[in-house]
Structures are given as structure tokens and as C-alpha cells.
Amino acid sequence: FIQVATNLSNGEVWVATTCKALKYIPETKSWEEYDGTDGLPSNQIYYIYLEDPGFVWFGTYTSGIARLNLDTNVWSYWSEDQGLPAASVGFIFRDHQDNTWSCAQQILHKYNPLLDIWEATSVRCEHDSYVIDKTGTLWIGSNIGVTKLDPITGITETLTVADGLLDNRVYAMAMDQDDRFWFGTYSKGINIYNSTNGAWQYLITQDNQPGSFYAWFLSIDNDGVVWTPNHHETQSPNGLLRHDPAAGTWQILTTADGLAGNGISAILQD
């Protein structure tokens, strides 16, 4: 399993794997490794979040969260004693109010810096399934739908199949340039939600089946093109799906087109 993040300030690319963390330095075209001998509490890294300036957060599989200060090389740690369950950390991020959030054991947690603890909320979550919209509202995907959370008031609202989703299991999420929300579901492809008028759209794949693929990650590039895994219910993973919403076209990319492998778990535009 690989999860990728990028440091926007200097172009370094950080990679989380199940056996170590890696940092790619573009200037020297070299890699640096981080594992338990460097200060990580576990070599099984599930998520990396890069906070400018100079902090790298690591979500581990069973050993909580670690944060590295790149300027001082000082580590900080949070685990069960600080409110985190001994389970995989699916994501870490900071919102527009500088609150820090994490997904641990499929429950959204908020960091309390005064007490140096993580406090569980009532919101369910899944790995890397979140978006912060322009108003600062958090959109969190889970196996019960999509929950909107106002981080200031704490008010929540959950969208489910009763509201238009084809599948409550939302495992990936992105927001496009038109402020539409793209929800990647477990078995019903990509569901698109326009929060302005409440309209839904469901993507049709090349075989004219309405969203029969697993969309466990989503990425929208600078041109508005959508990238997601090409994995149908009755097939093994088979590369990437590239969807151009403007043209309405689909393209399948596999090892025949230059991919190193057909099992894709993350994608990043540099």
C-alpha cells in the first residue's frame, strides 16, 4: 500500500508505505528513508500530511500519530494515552481555523492543543475521504454516507442514499473548479453533488454501466480531468480511469501505456 503527499513549498514528495516513509528530493533526484531507527513509532505508515512550514505528520497503522519538526528534528507522539485508539490513522489535516483533525478507527478526532489530547467526535470517517470547501465546512466520507461538519458550531448534516447517493460507502472525495463534490463509492462508481442546487450526477463508464467500479481514490488535476482506479466488481484492478468531464470521454491507462503496475493506490500531480 502506498499513499503520497507533497510539500508545496519545495517540491519534495513524501511517500507512505507499509514498511517505511520515503522522501524524494527533486534537486538531487535522491530518496531518504524514515523508519523506527529515525524516530517513527512504527514502520507501517498509513498516511502523511505535510504542514507548512516545516512539520510532517505521520499516521501509523497501530501506533498513533507522530509529527516531525523538520527544522529542529524533534519528534512529537500521540497514541492511546492521548485519546487515539490503537488502530490505523486514515487521514490528518488542518482546517481553515487551524484545527487539526484525524481519522482513527473510522471515527473523526479533533486535536486539543491545550490538553495535548485527541477528542473523539460523533462523525464517522474513512481513509483519505475528506474535503474542505471554500466556506471552511468539512465534508467527511464514511461507510454511512457523507457528513458535513461546521468546525465552528459543530453542527452536522449527513447525506445518504435517501438524499441521492447511490452507495453510502464513500471512500474518496474531491471538489472541482465549479465547487461540485465528487464522491468515490465502494461499488457504485462516482457520484457528483452540486451543493448549490442539490442536483446529482452519476458517471457512466465506457461499458455504459452506471458506476459499477470501485472508486477508492479520486484526483482532479489542474485541467479538471478526473483520475480514479479502473477496478470493476467482477475484475481485478486494471490501471487507471481518466475522465475528461468537458469532453465526456473516458480513457483506460494500463501497463501497456507505461504504468509500472496495474494496481494503483494513489496518484499525485506535481
Side-chain angles (χ1 to χ4, degrees):
F1 176 81
I2 292 178
Q3 185 268 338
V4 181
T6 183
N7 188 328
L8 299 179
S9 62
N10 62 11
E12 293 174 350
V13 176
W14 290 74
V15 181
T17 77
T18 53
C19 60
K20 67 184 69 174
L22 301 169
K23 179 177 72 172
Y24 178 69
I25 305 171
E27 290 83 0
T28 59
K29 298 182 179 180
S30 61
W31 291 88
E32 291 184 5
E33 299 182 359
Y34 290 81
D35 57 23
T37 62
D38 300 293
L40 282 171
S42 169
N43 288 343
Q44 294 180 298
I45 310 302
Y46 210 60
Y47 196 80
I48 290 180
Y49 172 65
L50 306 178
E51 177 193 347
D52 280 332
F55 291 97
V56 184
W57 297 73
F58 302 87
T60 70
Y61 188 64
T62 57
S63 301
I65 292 173
R67 185 185 68 189
L68 173 62
N69 186 322
L70 294 176
D71 294 327
T72 64
N73 204 38
V74 173
W75 289 85
S76 301
Y77 304 97
W78 297 271
S79 56
E80 289 182 277
D81 290 340
Q82 291 78 37
L84 289 173
S88 59
V89 176
F91 60 64
I92 307 164
F93 69 88
R94 288 175 69 86
D95 64 21
H96 294 172
Q97 285 74 41
D98 290 330
N99 300 307
T100 305
W101 304 83
S102 70
C103 179
Q105 205 170 33
Q106 297 180 310
I107 296 294
L108 185 67
H109 289 68
K110 181 180 180 181
Y111 179 58
N112 184 328
L114 297 178
L115 300 178
D116 194 31
I117 61 172
W118 292 84
E119 298 171 335
T121 72
S122 61
V123 177
R124 301 279 298 177
C125 56
E126 286 290 343
H127 173 70
D128 208 20
S129 184
Y130 73 90
V131 160
I132 308 174
D133 69 20
K134 291 180 179 179
T135 70
T137 299
L138 312 183
W139 297 66
I140 309 294
S142 72
N143 59 6
I144 63 168
V146 176
T147 300
K148 295 169 56 180
L149 169 63
D150 186 322
I152 298 176
T153 65
I155 295 174
T156 63
E157 176 188 354
T158 300
L159 301 175
T160 67
V161 292
D163 303 291
L165 278 170
L166 293 183
D167 188 342
N168 281 338
R169 297 166 294 179
V170 178
Y171 291 169
M173 198 179 303
M175 187 171 68
D176 65 20
Q177 298 167 349
D178 297 321
D179 297 334
R180 296 181 303 170
F181 295 89
W182 296 64
F183 303 135
T185 69
Y186 180 72
S187 65
K188 299 298 182 182
I190 298 173
N191 300 185
I192 307 169
Y193 178 63
N194 187 324
S195 61
T196 302
N197 58 21
W200 289 88
Q201 178 185 355
Y202 312 103
L203 292 188
I204 305 297
T205 57
Q206 284 187 332
D207 56 5
N208 271 340
Q209 297 301 311
S212 61
F213 55 93
Y214 299 141
W216 67 81
F217 73 78
L218 277 173
S219 180
I220 301 178
D221 65 25
N222 293 338
D223 296 321
V225 173
V226 180
W227 302 78
T228 192
N230 182 32
H231 188 182
H232 290 250
E233 292 177 297
T234 59
Q235 302 172 359
S236 299
N238 190 30
L240 284 169
L241 281 171
R242 180 186 183 274
H243 174 58
D244 186 339
T249 58
W250 291 86
Q251 180 183 9
I252 297 175
L253 300 173
T254 67
T255 52
D257 303 290
L259 285 176
N262 286 330
I264 310 298
S265 60
I267 189 168
L268 170 72
Q269 181 176 14
D270 62 16

